[in-house]
């Protein structure tokens, strides 16, 4: 029987090629994801390990919460100072103590544009040894900074900024623009820098002046003499530290923490890619099962002969499964090789788009090899299991007398009952999801979506009859007898048509759902920008360090500026939960945002008290005139009584509640504005933006955005997600196309005699081609319409849940894109039929009529 299985694989190479391609593509996706994840993870881990080389103990300053508020304003205060560093140096086993000052600096390039990647814009102090060089940052050219007006940059940072030794570097930390002369360029293997960030180096005194206080540090890096026990040294260092103001971690513990963090960071991307790989394999299951069902139907005489000469049912099942296993293994091996190329290409693409992964060798782990090959073989064998059981149940006499028997009615009835129950359960869950009001309920929505999709797949043979019949009416009217034959061929075996259409349906369900939600979210953002924000500009920093309150007065003095309203917020706790109150200038706020009061008025808020949103008031049961007790500082547990002066319609700009800055400021540890809202007298202009930036010192930290900029920024994020989904689900659609080709090729083989008869009674070769093409189009349209219908339903139910935290969200169907999807389905149908149609038309008439 094993020899028979091997012979069958070799004898049906052309028939199995498409099935092998489906397995190959799915395995390639899985293998590529695993190899990519292992390669990037190992590269980042190696970079982190190299970065922690020779670190025996790391002493880090914790939040200095006991320091008085005035001391914390503007600069951090830490408990790590020169005295503590000297005491640690005196410990037995300590070789050196490196004193680090760290912060963030956003640099501008020669076009005054910021470089780097937000919080990855690292700044620290250059610490030369006796030879005048810092071993942590080897010099590439120039020298290290030694005075307050000097700066050194990482080689990648200097290249991105387009600067050279001797140039003036413009940068900002959390205040005005600073200028220093570039005196050195260094090499750096810091993961933050290699992953797209920037690195600026100052002498220690300058770094302390920028970020801390004289003589203070953020971290002390201890290196040990050879043979010193890290854990014992760490314990000794801990004894010297002030309680609750510093903590010591051994180098091994720090490496373990970083490895865990790296694994968590990579897991999100890896899990996403594996999800789409799973979808691709899921689609492939239909194609594999379809192929083996048709192969077994075509080999029924052969199977009957095997049964007649003594083969048992179990042996027949084993023979088919062995055939599937061998096919899966061969396909998986080729797919793994392709997956290796995908991993290399994926890394290159992400690096080109600014991912900045560290350099490292390609990692092909045994786990990746076994997982990818195992998945391919297991999926293929499982997909062939039901067809193998069907083969074993064929009675020898019945098989010898009939090439193909129609599926039993009972099996379809049972299938339809099961499909109806699962679909009904999925729809019920999704209807419940539409009433939920929290994003935490996403797992329930995913469960409901999966049940609905699986249920519809099971019901697909039943649904195929009305949909294919409807499409057949169109093809019959437009193409005559060719269209009618195409319809009858598609309806002849509803199971096969359903399995083939379902492969395309799965991809289009997900693509349609994401498109509808993404399009509706974009329109909701537009609506939010149009109704909530009436200001022409929003000013904030790219690193969220906040804006000096004095800057709002400077902006207000710019010619052409009509109003400026600052926004800064703090959290509070009440019996009903948590919220944020935003402080603003009450004399200006109504000029920069649209306010509609349900109770009270803005004048009442100006007289003292706070205004709360309609949703917040409803949630807590508050009304205008009530007095509520809140806590601004959980540690102190001090109650503050606030009077609710007004209730306003939900406003995205102001959030939960707002009040005058005088009420909010006493509860802030550092008084800085989160953003400034600016209303221009003439509606704004590029010249005014330039004047505002110039007034604020042309700082690379600042973002001056129009309402259109804000809309595009948000829309860009949504577009990125949707486009990524398109790209990843494209693999599932490609596999679905392979399934259509496979089904048509098998169908042509089954109908060899029938095609010969059609040719004999006068149907031309072009008519045969047209019949096969139209059958392909009908099947593709069936899968597309079913997929788009399910996708729209899931988008509606999921959108209802999204809308609970997105007041302006409203589902709007993107008719243009939906029409494009239908057009793509038509193209898929035409292209998938090219080879089967040509093969059918080239059949010899007499040989086809005589075929068994």
């Amino acid at each position: 029987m094993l020899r028979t299985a091997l012979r069958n694989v070799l004898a049906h190479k052309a028939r199995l090629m498409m099935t092998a391609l489906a397995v190959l593509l799915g395995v390639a996706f899985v293998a590529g994801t695993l190899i990519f994840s292992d390669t990037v993870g190992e590269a980042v881990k190696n970079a982190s390990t190299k970065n922690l080389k020779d670190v025996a103990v790391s002493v880090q300053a914790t939040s200095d919460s006991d320091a008085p508020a005035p001391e914390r304003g503007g600069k951090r205060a830490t408990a790590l100072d020169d005295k503590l560093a000297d005491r640690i140096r005196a410990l037995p086993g300590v070789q050196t103590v490196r004193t680090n000052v760290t912060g963030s600096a956003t640099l501008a390039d020669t076009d005054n544009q910021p470089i780097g990647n937000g919080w990855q814009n690292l700044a620290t102090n250059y610490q030369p040894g006796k030879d005048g060089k810092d071993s942590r940052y080897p010099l590439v050219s120039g020298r290290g900074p030694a005075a307050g007006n000097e700066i050194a940059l990482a080689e990648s940072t200097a290249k991105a900024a387009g600067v050279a030794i001797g140039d003036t570097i413009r940068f900002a930390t959390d205040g005005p623009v600073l200028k220093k002369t570039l005196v050195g360029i260094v090499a750096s293997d810091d993961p933050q820098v290699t992953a797209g960030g920037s690195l600026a180096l100052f002498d220690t005194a300058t770094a302390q002046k920028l970020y801390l206080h004289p003589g203070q540090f953020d971290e002390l890096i201890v290196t040990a003499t050879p043979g010193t026990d890290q854990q014992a040294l760490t314990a000794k260092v801990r004894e010297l530290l002030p309680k609750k103001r510093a903590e010591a971690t051994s180098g091994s513990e720090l490496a373990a923490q970083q490895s865990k963090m790296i694994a968590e960071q990579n897991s999100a991307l890896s899990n996403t890619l594996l999800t789409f790989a799973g979808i691709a394999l899921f689609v492939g299951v239909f194609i594999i099962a379809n192929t083996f069902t048709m192969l077994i139907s075509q080999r029924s005489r052969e199977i009957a002969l095997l049964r007649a000469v003594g083969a048992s049912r179990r042996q027949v099942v084993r023979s088919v499964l062995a055939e599937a296993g061998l096919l899966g293994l061969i396909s998986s091996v080729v797919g793994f090789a392709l997956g290796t190329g995908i991993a290399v290409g994926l890394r290159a693409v992400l690096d080109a788009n600014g991912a900045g992964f560290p350099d490292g060798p390609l990692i092909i782990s045994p786990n990746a090899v076994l997982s990818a090959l195992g998945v391919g073989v297991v999926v293929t064998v499982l997909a062939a299991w039901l067809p193998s059981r069907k083969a074993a149940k064929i009675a020898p006499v019945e098989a010898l007398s009939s090439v193909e028997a129609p599926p039993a009615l009972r099996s379809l009835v049972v299938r339809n009952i099961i499909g109806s129950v699962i679909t009904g359960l999925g729809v019920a869950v999704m209807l419940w999801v539409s009433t939920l009001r929290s994003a935490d309920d996403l797992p329930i929505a995913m469960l409901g979506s999966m049940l609905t999709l699986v249920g519809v797949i099971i019901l697909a043979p039943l649904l195929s009859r009305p949909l294919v019949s409807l499409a057949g009416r169109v093809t019959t009217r437009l193409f005559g007898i060719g269209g009618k034959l195409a319809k009858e061929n598609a309806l002849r075996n509803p199971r096969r048509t359903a399995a083939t259409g379902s492969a395309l349906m799965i991809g289009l369900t997900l693509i349609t759902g994401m498109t509808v939600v993404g399009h509706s979210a974009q329109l909701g953002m537009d609506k939010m920008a149009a109704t909530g924000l009436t200001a022409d500009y929003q000013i904030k920093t790219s690193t969220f360090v906040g804006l000096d309150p004095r800057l709002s007065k400077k902006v207000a003095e710019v010619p052409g500026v009509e109003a400026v309203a600052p926004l800064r917020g703090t959290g509070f706790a009440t019996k009903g939960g948590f919220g944020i109150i935003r402080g603003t200038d009450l004399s200006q706020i109504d000029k920069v945002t649209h306010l509609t009061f349900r109770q009270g008025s803005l004048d009442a808020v100006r007289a003292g008290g706070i205004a709360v949103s309609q949703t917040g008031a409803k949630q807590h049961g508050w009304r205008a005139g009530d007095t509520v007790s809140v806590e601004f500082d959980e540690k102190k547990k001090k109650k503050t009584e606030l009077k609710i002066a007004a209730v306003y319609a939900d406003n995205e700009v102001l959030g939960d509640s707002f009040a005058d800055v005088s009420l909010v400021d006493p509860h802030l540890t550092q008084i800085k504005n989160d953003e400034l809202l600016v209303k221009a007298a003439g509606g704004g202009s590029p010249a005014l933006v330039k004047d505002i930036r110039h007034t604020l010192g042309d700082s690379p930290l600042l973002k001056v955005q129009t309402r259109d900029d804000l809309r595009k920024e948000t829309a860009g994020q949504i577009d990125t997600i949707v486009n990524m989904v398109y790209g990843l689900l494209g693999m599932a659609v490609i596999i679905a196309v392979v399934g259509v080709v496979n089904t048509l090729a098998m169908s042509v083989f089954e109908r060899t005699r029938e095609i010969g008869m059609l040719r004999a009674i006068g149907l031309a070769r072009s008519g045969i081609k047209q019949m096969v093409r139209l059958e392909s189009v009908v099947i593709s349209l069936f899968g597309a319409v079913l997929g788009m219908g399910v996708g729209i339903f899931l988008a509606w139910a999921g959108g209802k849940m999204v809308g609970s935290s997105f007041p302006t969200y409203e589902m709007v169907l993107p008719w243009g894109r939906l029409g494009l999807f239908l057009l793509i389905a038509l193209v898929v149908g035409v292209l998938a039929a090219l080879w089967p149609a040509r093969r059918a038309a080239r059949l010899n008439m007499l040989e086809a009529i005589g075929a068994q």
Side-chain angles (χ1 to χ4, degrees):
M1 295 303 293
L2 290 175
R3 285 198 299 269
T4 301
L6 179 60
R7 181 186 60 79
N8 284 330
V9 172
L10 297 175
H12 303 110
K13 294 187 288 293
R15 302 183 207 174
L16 293 173
M17 184 175 62
M18 292 300 176
T19 302
L21 185 58
V23 179
L24 183 152
L25 291 173
V27 170
F29 213 157
V30 173
T33 299
L34 294 174
I35 294 172
F36 168 79
S37 180
D38 289 342
T39 299
V40 171
E42 189 66 20
V44 177
K45 183 178 178 180
N46 289 341
S48 298
T49 301
K50 190 175 180 181
N51 194 44
L52 294 173
K53 183 183 178 182
D54 299 329
V55 175
V57 185
S58 170
V59 180
Q60 296 181 331
T62 56
S63 176
D64 193 4
S65 57
D66 296 328
E71 185 182 346
R72 291 201 305 263
K75 293 182 181 179
R76 303 189 306 274
T78 77
L80 308 186
D81 54 22
D82 288 312
K83 291 182 179 178
L84 179 60
D86 289 339
R87 292 171 64 192
I88 293 174
R89 285 191 186 96
L91 287 174
V94 172
Q95 189 173 51
T96 62
V97 175
R98 183 180 178 85
T99 53
N100 290 345
V101 179
T102 56
S104 177
T106 303
L107 290 82
D109 61 16
T110 52
D111 295 324
N112 201 33
Q113 296 299 312
I115 64 169
N117 191 11
W119 287 108
Q120 290 179 292
N121 294 334
L122 180 67
T124 187
N125 55 322
Y126 187 82
Q127 301 174 53
K130 294 179 180 179
D131 59 355
K133 298 178 181 179
D134 188 338
S135 58
R136 177 67 184 80
Y137 300 107
L139 285 168
V140 175
S141 61
R143 59 177 177 81
N149 64 337
E150 296 177 347
I151 188 173
L153 300 178
E155 189 174 15
S156 59
T157 304
K159 183 178 179 181
V163 295
I165 300 293
D167 289 348
T168 298
I169 306 299
R170 300 179 71 256
F171 68 96
T173 55
D174 62 350
V177 175
L178 302 173
K179 296 180 181 180
K180 296 188 186 297
T181 302
L182 181 62
V183 297
I185 294 177
V186 303
S188 174
D189 53 15
D190 191 302
Q192 287 191 69
V193 180
T194 57
S198 63
L199 173 65
L201 298 171
F202 310 100
D203 67 280
T204 299
T206 301
Q208 289 172 333
K209 184 178 180 181
L210 287 172
Y211 304 109
L212 298 172
H213 295 276
Q216 294 185 350
F217 308 99
D218 290 296
E219 184 180 23
L220 304 178
I221 299 294
V222 182
T223 59
T225 56
T228 303
D229 183 84
Q230 274 194 11
Q231 300 301 327
L233 182 58
T234 303
K236 292 179 181 178
V237 170
R238 283 175 181 155
E239 294 175 0
L240 302 178
L241 303 181
K243 291 183 179 180
K244 297 183 180 181
R245 296 184 64 188
E247 57 186 14
T249 308
S250 68
S252 57
E253 290 173 338
L254 201 61
Q257 291 174 7
Q258 288 203 5
S259 296
K260 183 179 179 182
M261 181 180 68
I262 291 164
E264 291 173 352
Q265 290 173 345
N266 288 337
S267 65
L269 178 59
S270 298
N271 290 339
T272 301
L273 294 173
L274 282 173
T275 298
F276 287 101
I279 293 170
L281 285 171
F282 187 52
V283 171
V285 166
F286 291 93
I287 299 168
I288 299 164
N290 226 10
T291 302
F292 275 96
T293 299
M294 288 183 284
L295 283 174
I296 287 164
S297 178
Q298 292 163 13
R299 283 162 32 204
S300 56
R301 288 180 181 273
E302 177 188 322
I303 294 171
L305 285 171
L306 289 173
R307 293 291 311 282
V309 297
S312 67
R313 288 187 175 186
R314 184 173 295 180
Q315 285 178 311
V316 171
V317 170
R318 287 176 179 174
S319 174
V320 175
L321 293 182
E323 185 178 340
L326 185 59
L327 175 70
L329 181 61
I330 296 171
S331 304
S332 298
V333 170
V334 179
F336 187 84
L338 179 61
T340 304
I342 289 175
V344 174
L346 181 61
R347 182 175 178 181
V349 169
L350 292 175
D351 276 337
N353 285 277
F357 295 119
D359 292 331
L362 186 70
I363 303 297
I364 301 178
S365 66
N367 179 55
V369 176
L370 294 176
S371 297
L373 296 183
V375 164
V377 174
V378 169
V379 165
T380 309
V381 171
L382 287 178
W385 181 65
L386 285 177
S388 71
R389 293 192 62 193
K390 181 182 176 182
K393 290 179 180 178
I394 295 175
V397 174
E398 180 185 353
L400 287 170
S401 62
S402 175
V403 175
E404 182 181 3
L409 181 63
R410 176 180 173 79
S411 64
L412 283 176
V413 170
V414 172
R415 175 173 178 156
N416 291 340
I417 292 172
I418 294 173
S420 298
V421 171
I422 295 176
T423 303
L425 182 61
V427 170
V429 172
M430 291 310 294
L431 291 176
W432 179 42
V433 165
S434 69
T435 66
L436 300 177
R437 293 292 178 264
S438 172
D440 294 336
D441 297 314
L442 183 60
I444 300 175
M446 294 177 68
L447 174 64
S449 300
M450 184 181 70
L451 288 173
T452 304
L453 188 58
V454 170
V456 171
I457 290 170
I458 296 174
L459 280 178
L462 179 66
L463 298 173
S464 69
R465 291 188 178 276
L467 291 176
V468 170
S469 296
L470 181 62
R473 289 185 182 180
V474 177
T475 59
T476 301
R477 184 177 293 273
L478 294 177
F479 301 100
I481 189 64
K484 185 174 183 179
L485 288 171
K487 180 194 75 171
E488 295 301 327
N489 289 334
L491 288 174
R492 178 180 299 182
N493 192 332
R495 289 173 175 273
R496 182 191 305 165
T497 298
T500 307
S502 294
L504 186 61
M505 183 201 79
I506 295 168
L508 279 176
T509 294
L510 299 173
I511 289 174
T512 301
M514 287 299 299
T515 299
V516 172
V517 172
H519 179 72
S520 301
Q522 285 180 345
L523 294 180
M525 289 293 179
D526 291 346
K527 188 176 180 181
M528 183 185 297
T531 57
L533 186 67
T534 58
D536 295 295
Y537 303 108
Q538 180 193 71
I539 304 173
K540 59 183 178 181
T541 61
S542 57
T543 55
F544 307 102
V545 294
L547 296 161
D548 190 324
R550 292 171 294 184
L551 296 180
S552 57
K553 185 177 290 186
K554 287 186 177 182
V555 174
E557 294 172 353
V558 174
V561 171
E562 181 181 320
V564 178
L567 288 176
R568 48 185 182 258
T570 186
F572 65 86
T574 66
K575 272 187 177 181
F578 299 90
I580 294 176
I581 182 169
R582 309 203 76 177
T584 187
D585 184 344
L586 296 179
S587 66
Q588 304 289 311
I589 190 62
D590 57 335
K591 299 176 184 177
V592 297
T593 186
H594 181 72
L595 280 172
T596 302
F597 287 94
R598 305 301 187 195
Q599 300 173 27
S601 64
L602 186 59
D603 289 334
V605 182
R606 289 169 180 156
I610 66 170
V612 297
S613 67
Q614 190 173 3
T615 298
K618 184 178 180 180
Q619 178 184 348
H620 297 289
W622 293 341
R623 295 183 57 82
D626 291 350
T627 299
V628 297
S629 180
V630 303
E631 293 178 3
F632 284 103
D633 191 329
E634 284 190 72
K635 292 182 179 179
K636 295 181 179 179
K637 299 293 182 183
K638 183 179 179 181
K639 301 283 187 180
T640 301
E641 302 296 321
L642 296 177
K643 180 184 177 182
I644 298 176
V647 175
Y648 58 92
D650 290 351
N651 183 298
E652 188 68 19
V653 175
L654 295 170
D656 300 326
S657 58
F658 72 91
D660 190 77
V661 290
S662 60
L663 188 148
V664 173
D665 287 355
H667 307 289
L668 297 175
T669 56
Q670 188 174 351
I671 299 177
K672 282 194 173 186
N673 289 320
D674 299 324
E675 58 189 84
L676 297 178
L677 302 180
V678 180
K679 181 71 175 177
S685 66
L688 181 57
V689 173
K690 189 174 181 180
D691 290 342
I692 291 173
R693 291 194 65 89
H694 183 69
T695 300
L696 298 177
D698 286 322
S699 172
L701 278 176
L702 293 178
K703 295 171 69 175
V704 182
Q705 295 174 292
T706 64
R707 276 180 285 173
D708 193 49
D709 291 334
L710 294 171
R711 184 194 66 79
K712 288 179 180 177
E713 184 176 74
T714 306
Q717 296 171 356
I718 296 173
D719 279 341
T720 299
I721 295 172
V722 173
N723 289 335
M724 184 183 73
V725 171
Y726 285 170
L728 293 172
L729 289 177
M731 181 71 76
V733 175
I734 290 172
I735 295 176
V737 173
V738 171
V740 177
V741 175
N742 205 12
T743 297
L744 291 174
M746 294 290 186
S747 181
V748 167
F749 179 83
E750 282 184 352
R751 302 202 306 265
T752 299
R753 178 181 290 183
E754 176 187 319
I755 292 170
M757 292 295 294
L758 289 172
R759 291 278 291 115
I761 62 176
L763 189 61
R765 292 182 186 273
S766 60
I768 297 292
K769 288 183 178 180
Q770 184 186 73
M771 177 186 71
V772 176
R773 281 197 296 264
L774 289 175
E775 181 182 352
S776 177
V777 168
V778 166
I779 293 174
S780 297
L781 284 178
F782 160 67
V785 170
L786 197 59
M788 290 168 64
V790 175
I792 290 171
F793 169 71
L794 296 180
W796 170 80
K800 285 284 187 181
M801 184 176 70
V802 172
S804 63
S805 56
F806 191 168
T808 55
Y809 179 90
E810 182 179 352
M811 193 180 91
V812 179
L813 296 180
W815 293 109
R817 293 191 186 183
L818 296 181
L820 179 62
F821 295 160
L822 274 178
L823 181 61
I824 290 173
L826 282 170
V827 173
V828 164
V830 173
L831 293 178
L834 289 177
W835 177 61
R838 185 169 178 268
R839 183 172 180 269
R842 294 180 65 183
L843 287 175
N844 182 281
M845 187 191 312
L846 295 178
E847 290 180 359
I849 292 173
Q852 296 296 321

